[in-house]
Amino acid sequence: MDLSLQQPGNHLFIRSVSEAGIQVVDRFIAGPIILSASQLLTDWPISHWRQLSEASLEPVFTLQPEIVLLGTGAVQVFPPPELMMCFHRRRIGIEVMTTPAACRTFNVLVADRRNVVAALLPPGLPAGPCCAARGASSPASSPSAGREPSSPRSPGSGSRSARRARAS
């Protein structure tokens, strides 16, 4: 049987994604990246989706994409409406999805020769500090560090184990 290596066209592509990071062609990157068909930016200083702002997305806008795929890690998290409007004002489409889904979609769109940029947070990237511009406190100082927001608790309710300790 004749076997031949089938390589995509003359563009960058994502070979794999895991909790450890993203492999673009033959290069493995453990941190967040911005990727187009011809450019890979690895110095994007974002460590959590809460740090996204118009200023932090400037490297994406500079690439003048038709559409942006925002991979928010292992969980799909939509940015606030005012951030989504930054894309609308520039007439750039935005799709928000998990990073593995964004990686698959990027490969399909770039193979179709679409002007696409992927802004990707690896699924296993540790949560970084929240962005001060959004008025959030640092996760390390928050009582719900590392958890997504949930329904508000009544004052002093604490965790189940704490309530049990107080009851005894």
Side-chain angles (χ1 to χ4, degrees), residues 55-168:
S56 72
L57 290 166
E58 197 55 44
V60 171
F61 300 141
T62 300
L63 295 171
Q64 299 180 325
E66 161 189 338
I67 186 166
V68 171
L69 304 173
L70 179 58
T72 57
V75 178
Q76 179 184 29
V77 182
F78 288 92
E82 56 272 9
L83 190 58
M84 299 292 277
M85 287 303 295
C86 296
F87 292 90
H88 178 72
R89 282 193 304 273
R90 289 174 170 83
R91 299 185 182 269
I92 299 171
I94 173 85
E95 292 293 333
V96 181
M97 55 193 78
T98 65
T99 296
C103 291
R104 292 187 299 269
T105 305
F106 175 83
N107 282 345
V108 170
L109 293 177
V110 80
D112 258 357
R113 296 183 180 1
R114 298 284 302 273
N115 182 9
V116 61
V117 169
L120 306 170
L121 298 172
L125 192 66
C130 296
C131 120
R134 300 258 319 264
S137 62
S138 166
S141 65
S142 168
S144 60
R147 294 192 318 242
E148 292 304 311
S150 59
S151 60
R153 294 182 180 182
S154 60
S157 64
S159 69
R160 183 179 294 174
S161 58
R163 287 190 303 270
R164 281 188 198 139
R166 284 193 299 264
S168 36

